[in-house]
Amino acid sequence: MTSAPADASLSYAAEVARLLWPEPWEAPYVTRSRHRTGQPHRDAYLFPSERCPRLLVPAGLPGSASMLQRLGTDRLGLAGPMRQLLERSVHSRAFALARWPMLRVPGTDPRADSIEHHLAGCFGTEVRVGVLLGTRRVNQKPVLQIFDLDGRLRGYAKVGHNELTAGLVRREAASLAAMGGHDLRSFRVPRLLHHAQWAGLEVLVISALTTDPRQRVTRAVRHTAMREVAHLRDTTSVPLAGSGFWARQRHTVELLAGEPAGRRLRAAADAIGLRHGDDVVSLGGWHGDWGRWNMAMGDGTLQLWDWERYDPEVPIGFDGLHFAAQSVRPGEPEEHRQEELFLRSVPETLGELGVHSDQHDLILRLYLLEIAGRYVEALTHGETPTLRRRTSWVLSVLERSHRLPVPSRVRP
């Protein structure tokens, strides 16, 4: 029994499978049949559903059910006991009788190349992969969980499949290679295991990090790690207009000048340069996408991943502002209140990261300019409603920022 793709989410799952198992593997299709054809094939359960797949979980592989921990959110409707029940039963005989939908990739040649064949060479043993699809967006990359045939997790792989995502994969590889040269104290990062091109894709393989969801990431732990990231390399204090950071901002602004939001971006940059070009700023490193989804505690230490946006030369304080800004959800009824709380948090956030109070308004504007440029550039690769709303919000706050006095230090 087969079915055509139910929607764009399923279509994306099939596209990703086709990238990982290219010709002469045949086109993927959905089936509920457990009938063995005698030909090589890969079966992966579609979770949480056929209509809205977020995971491709290898069928018949012990240990792969651990991937269902990724579904432990209310938004996906598989929180708590329901997710735990699925995780315990997914490879049982009873589950097989339930005829859960699978994405099948059939093959005719047992020697046909695939991502699993490529990764087997990295680990020196045969492997199977599960795929974390996530929500389709312009910078979305397939993330693979790599298992050996005993079901042990060997690592993760990220796959860049276009100009934008391949660039991000290369950037993360360089960042993790650089991290390997530092004696990290307050956090841990994945080890870089392999980076190469395969079948026109950019492939990065990293080690798994040990995490414990029972341990909470406290504000103190988070800010201690942010300060260490900022000082991984020597920090510098220079006039804004003469910094490498500002040169990169101006370059980005000029490249995007012809985009629909490019004029607004350039006007904001011009205003900042005119008003603050001679101001001295302290520059250090930042992770670049410090959110709750990119960190967890493990063995009493902060585990921090997704280093594709790491930059060693930005105004100190960016990581704290970025983390706080994620609490704003443009388009939601509470947007204005969320924005107010974000702005009220700026003095305490920057103060705890060592930024002097007379720099707070400037650092906020520079952060907004950095992120606005990132979002406007992302829009050139494809639009989503969420990205459009977030770009509009950041540009709006940036344009209003010269009229938004940063309040005195108040905990939201």
Side-chain angles (χ1 to χ4, degrees):
M1 174 181 174
T2 64
S3 64
D7 67 357
S9 295
L10 184 53
S11 174
Y12 175 54
E15 288 175 23
V16 169
R18 196 61 170 144
L19 288 174
L20 305 179
W21 289 275
E23 293 182 350
W25 290 85
E26 297 178 9
Y29 62 90
V30 176
T31 181
R32 294 176 185 268
S33 170
R34 301 300 183 265
H35 176 67
R36 302 295 181 181
T37 65
Q39 296 177 333
H41 65 276
R42 290 291 179 265
D43 288 343
Y45 292 119
L46 296 160
F47 283 104
S49 68
E50 178 181 348
R51 179 161 291 278
C52 186
R54 294 292 180 266
L55 300 177
L56 299 180
V57 178
L61 181 69
S64 64
S66 62
M67 292 182 66
L68 295 179
Q69 295 172 10
R70 299 275 178 164
L71 299 179
T73 66
D74 292 330
R75 211 165 79 181
L76 288 176
L78 282 174
M82 183 182 294
R83 178 191 58 75
Q84 294 168 14
L85 177 62
L86 274 175
E87 188 177 346
R88 289 194 300 268
S89 63
V90 69
H91 292 304
S92 68
R93 176 182 292 271
F95 190 83
L97 294 174
R99 296 171 61 83
W100 196 276
M102 297 188 301
L103 191 69
R104 173 168 292 172
V105 187
T108 56
D109 183 353
R111 298 167 297 177
D113 196 12
S114 71
I115 190 64
E116 290 175 334
H117 181 267
H118 176 75
L119 294 175
C122 303
F123 290 95
T125 187
E126 194 172 351
V127 299
R128 295 290 180 267
V129 300
V131 185
L132 312 176
L133 294 167
T135 303
R136 188 169 195 168
R137 58 187 189 274
V138 295
N139 64 341
Q140 182 66 24
K141 301 173 297 300
V143 177
L144 315 182
Q145 285 192 220
I146 307 166
F147 300 92
D148 61 26
L149 297 190
D150 292 326
R152 292 177 296 179
L153 179 63
R154 289 301 193 98
Y156 289 85
K158 294 187 177 184
V159 179
H161 56 90
N162 56 27
E163 181 182 0
L164 174 62
T165 57
L168 291 173
V169 168
R170 287 191 293 268
R171 186 168 174 175
E172 180 160 16
S175 298
L176 291 177
M179 291 289 160
H182 294 282
D183 180 20
L184 304 177
R185 299 183 179 184
S186 62
F187 65 95
R188 298 289 179 268
V189 303
R191 288 181 294 111
L192 174 62
L193 302 179
H194 173 76
H195 175 221
Q197 289 188 341
W198 168 80
L201 306 175
E202 199 81 24
V203 180
L204 169 67
V205 183
I206 60 178
S207 66
L209 292 174
T210 302
T211 62
D212 185 349
R214 297 170 299 179
Q215 299 181 30
R216 188 171 66 91
V217 179
T218 65
R219 183 185 181 96
V221 164
R222 188 173 69 245
H223 279 216
T224 297
M226 287 179 181
R227 287 191 293 269
E228 183 173 358
V229 170
H231 292 85
L232 283 174
R233 291 171 46 172
D234 292 338
T235 60
T236 58
S237 295
V238 296
L240 175 65
S243 68
F245 164 78
W246 188 246
R248 293 195 303 276
Q249 293 300 310
R250 295 302 319 189
H251 178 68
T252 298
V253 165
E254 294 307 318
L255 284 178
L256 299 172
E259 298 301 320
R263 184 177 300 177
R264 297 172 65 189
L265 190 66
R266 182 160 61 180
D270 289 344
I272 292 172
L274 184 63
R275 185 172 180 177
H276 297 287
D278 294 331
D279 290 4
V280 174
V281 292
S282 295
L283 303 174
W286 79 315
H287 173 276
D289 191 20
W290 202 308
R292 288 181 173 85
W293 51 89
N294 284 336
M295 63 179 178
M297 296 298 292
D299 299 326
T301 302
L302 183 67
Q303 313 292 308
L304 194 57
W305 54 89
D306 279 358
W307 287 86
E308 62 195 32
R309 298 286 187 178
Y310 172 72
D311 190 329
E313 188 187 23
V314 303
I316 293 174
F318 273 20
D319 271 329
L321 293 178
H322 190 70
F323 182 86
Q326 303 314 305
S327 63
V328 183
R329 302 294 183 186
E332 292 189 357
E334 292 291 306
E335 175 186 341
H336 295 301
R337 180 176 178 275
Q338 292 165 354
E339 179 187 302
E340 179 184 0
L341 291 175
F342 163 58
L343 293 172
R344 288 178 59 201
S345 75
V346 169
E348 184 164 19
T349 296
L350 292 181
E352 291 181 1
L353 295 175
V355 181
H356 195 273
S357 59
D358 63 5
Q359 290 271 294
H360 289 180
D361 59 344
L362 173 57
I363 302 305
L364 173 61
R365 290 177 190 131
L366 293 175
Y367 163 74
L368 293 169
L369 181 68
E370 163 85 22
I371 291 300
R374 179 187 299 182
Y375 292 163
V376 173
E377 195 272 337
L379 285 171
T380 67
H381 297 273
E383 295 190 15
T384 65
T386 299
L387 179 58
R388 285 198 302 271
R389 287 193 298 269
R390 193 147 197 93
T391 305
S392 178
W393 173 71
V394 170
L395 282 170
S396 173
V397 180
L398 176 59
E399 291 166 337
R400 290 181 281 124
S401 63
H402 70 282
R403 304 192 306 271
L404 292 171
V406 175
S408 57
R409 182 177 295 190
V410 177
R411 183 183 291 274

